[in-house]
Amino acid sequence: TLFQIFDAFKSRLHDSNSKVNRVALETMHKMIPLLKDNLSPVINMLIPAVVDNNLNSKNPGIYTAATNVIQALCQHLDNYLLLQPFCTKARFLNGKAKQDMTEKLA
């Protein structure tokens, strides 16, 4: 099922190897337009996996890939699906990640 796939995939979004992490984010970016609102069952697992660490990454490739994923989510998913997870992340993040999530909410 979709949940099992993304449960396994989310660990790649936190991988300590920056190349694996970046490729996972880039792959996620490509999958979003294909899956669109079908991602709704996994969105509460997916957004923290994308946002945590990646939006505050000092690695420009990882940061760019993470912002691209967030942008793709905003373009291809119903905003209603994104509201609660984005609010939660904006509330508990700090630094650049908090600013980025707050801007997306606005």
Side-chain angles (χ1 to χ4, degrees):
T1 68
L2 193 65
F3 188 80
Q4 291 169 321
I5 292 167
F6 279 95
D7 193 40
F9 185 73
K10 75 176 182 178
S11 63
R12 299 293 64 88
L13 296 168
H14 289 292
D15 203 284
S16 59
N17 182 324
S18 62
K19 290 180 184 175
V20 171
N21 191 350
R22 184 180 45 79
V23 169
L25 287 164
E26 290 169 353
T27 302
M28 186 71 242
H29 181 251
K30 293 175 186 173
M31 291 186 324
I32 292 168
L34 302 172
L35 296 172
K36 299 182 181 179
D37 287 339
N38 293 320
L39 288 170
S40 63
V42 295
I43 204 72
N44 287 325
M45 164 182 34
L46 185 61
I47 290 175
V50 170
V51 171
D52 295 350
N53 302 323
N54 296 323
L55 277 184
N56 274 331
S57 178
K58 294 190 185 338
N59 181 318
I62 290 174
Y63 174 78
T64 299
T67 56
N68 288 341
V69 169
I70 297 299
Q71 185 62 35
L73 288 169
C74 292
Q75 288 176 339
H76 297 285
L77 270 73
D78 186 335
N79 288 338
Y80 178 77
L81 294 172
L82 302 174
L83 184 60
Q84 183 60 45
F86 277 19
C87 284
T88 302
K89 286 287 107 188
R91 184 174 173 204
F92 294 107
L93 289 169
N94 56 37
K96 180 88 171 111
K98 184 176 190 96
Q99 178 183 344
D100 288 346
M101 292 308 295
T102 303
E103 287 175 8
K104 286 296 174 197
L105 279 167

